[in-house]
Amino acid sequence: MVKDYLNIFGDNQIVLSETQLEQFNRYFELLVEWNEKINLTAITEKGMVYHKHFLDSLSLRNLIPSEGVTLLDVGSGAGFPSIPMKILYPNIKVTIIDALQKRINFLKILSDEINVEVELIHGRAEELKRNNSYNYVTARAVANLRVLSELCIPFVKVGGYFVSLKGPKYEQEIKECSKTFEVLGAEFEDTLKYQILNEEKTLLLIKKIKETSDKYPRKFNKIKNKPL
Ligand code: SAM
């Protein structure tokens, strides 16, 4: 049984102001409203949206500092995980890139309406030329880890992290990526495990240890057909 959505944040020791609670509430309303017109989410029941989208996105809260860092969210879709994190931590600088214009349009309406400042880029991550520049790069439900690594790791600043939000089965994917990480100048550091409604979830923390060569990311057909 899904608990009353109002208690969800409190039960997870997340303290929010009235303004932040209102921002999440409006986010939910707009998500459901726009989902009728463009495909944004399969989950629309309020408690489920709060758990599986909002709370899941906020799993990054113990990892990412509350201010003074840059975060790039690759393939953010309807804003996950970066918009909930920006609501929680208004002083982080968030950039979102998504390949679908209609999702970027939704995010523009949403960010204006709930008054959060985010940089929105319509395009493909592998075409963005900002190598080695973000403290954190996040991705949830975008591609398998090997492909995703080449899409994301080049953008991370040395000393920063690529954080991949995965389910319980990540070990095989990590194994397949040992060479991938090395070529891109990163190493697998740790996992952070948590549960959402009894489902096992995992944050994979991949640390950038040296600058990625300008050769990466390659064009998408190469990334996909000849993964590193
Ligand atoms: N991260 C969101 C979430 O967890 O709900 C959205 C996941 S959705 C399944 C995948 C998103 O990634 C889509 O919005 C798609 O347009 C975007 N995407 C896929 N490949 C991409 C790429 N190479 N560059 C930018 N966006 C990409």
Side-chain angles (χ1 to χ4, degrees):
M1 212 24 206
V2 177
K3 280 178 279 179
D4 179 2
Y5 70 93
L6 279 175
N7 296 328
I8 290 169
F9 296 121
D11 288 355
N12 287 277
Q13 276 95 49
I14 301 171
V15 181
L16 296 175
S17 66
E18 272 304 309
T19 306
Q20 288 168 315
L21 285 171
E22 275 165 28
Q23 286 171 309
F24 277 112
N25 188 49
R26 192 72 190 118
Y27 191 172
F28 166 72
E29 288 173 354
L30 286 167
L31 182 70
V32 172
E33 184 187 324
W34 281 87
N35 200 44
E36 305 266 309
K37 300 169 215 177
I38 53 175
N39 177 22
L40 293 169
T41 174
I43 299 166
T44 52
E45 192 277 321
K46 194 162 189 171
M48 287 294 178
V49 169
Y50 271 66
H51 277 102
K52 295 196 165 193
H53 286 323
F54 297 164
L55 205 53
D56 191 31
S57 298
L58 295 180
S59 63
L60 296 166
R61 70 189 181 279
N62 295 324
L63 188 72
I64 293 180
S66 58
E67 57 187 352
V69 292
T70 52
L71 184 157
L72 169 69
D73 191 13
V74 169
S76 184
F80 307 118
S82 54
I83 299 276
M85 282 304 296
K86 178 70 182 172
I87 295 174
L88 184 68
Y89 295 156
N91 294 324
I92 61 173
K93 191 172 180 305
V94 168
T95 302
I96 283 175
I97 182 158
D98 199 283
L100 274 185
Q101 181 71 61
K102 60 185 180 175
R103 297 205 170 125
I104 293 292
N105 293 348
F106 166 73
L107 292 174
K108 171 82 180 104
I109 291 164
L110 171 73
S111 55
D112 285 349
E113 181 96 12
I114 66 172
N115 204 17
V116 297
E117 202 183 310
V118 286
E119 183 187 18
L120 300 173
I121 302 173
H122 168 231
R124 298 194 59 89
E126 62 276 17
E127 289 162 11
L128 184 67
K129 301 269 176 265
R130 291 189 190 171
N131 267 14
N132 305 301
S133 56
Y134 294 90
N135 299 112
Y136 294 89
V137 177
T138 58
R140 188 184 82 157
V142 178
N144 74 57
L145 193 61
R146 216 161 150 198
V147 167
L148 205 51
S149 290
E150 188 169 345
L151 292 180
C152 295
I153 292 171
F155 302 105
V156 185
K157 207 173 189 162
V158 175
Y161 287 88
F162 161 43
V163 187
S164 170
L165 290 82
K166 292 278 178 185
K169 294 189 183 133
Y170 60 86
E171 272 118 348
Q172 185 56 32
E173 284 195 76
I174 290 277
K175 270 191 203 140
E176 287 166 7
C177 284
S178 55
K179 183 171 159 265
T180 317
F181 295 156
E182 195 187 320
V183 171
L184 296 168
E187 66 183 15
F188 170 60
E189 190 179 88
D190 210 348
T191 57
L192 229 153
K193 296 192 179 174
Y194 60 103
Q195 284 195 342
I196 300 284
L197 297 174
N198 295 325
E199 270 179 49
E200 298 290 328
K201 302 274 182 179
T202 317
L203 297 181
L204 305 182
L205 313 189
I206 294 134
K207 187 167 187 175
K208 184 82 169 248
I209 51 174
K210 58 179 186 209
E211 294 216 339
T212 308
S213 154
D214 286 346
K215 283 194 287 190
Y216 308 107
R218 297 165 298 162
K219 294 208 181 302
F220 191 70
N221 63 347
K222 280 236 169 97
I223 298 177
K224 198 159 179 278
N225 299 327
K226 290 196 168 187
L228 293 170

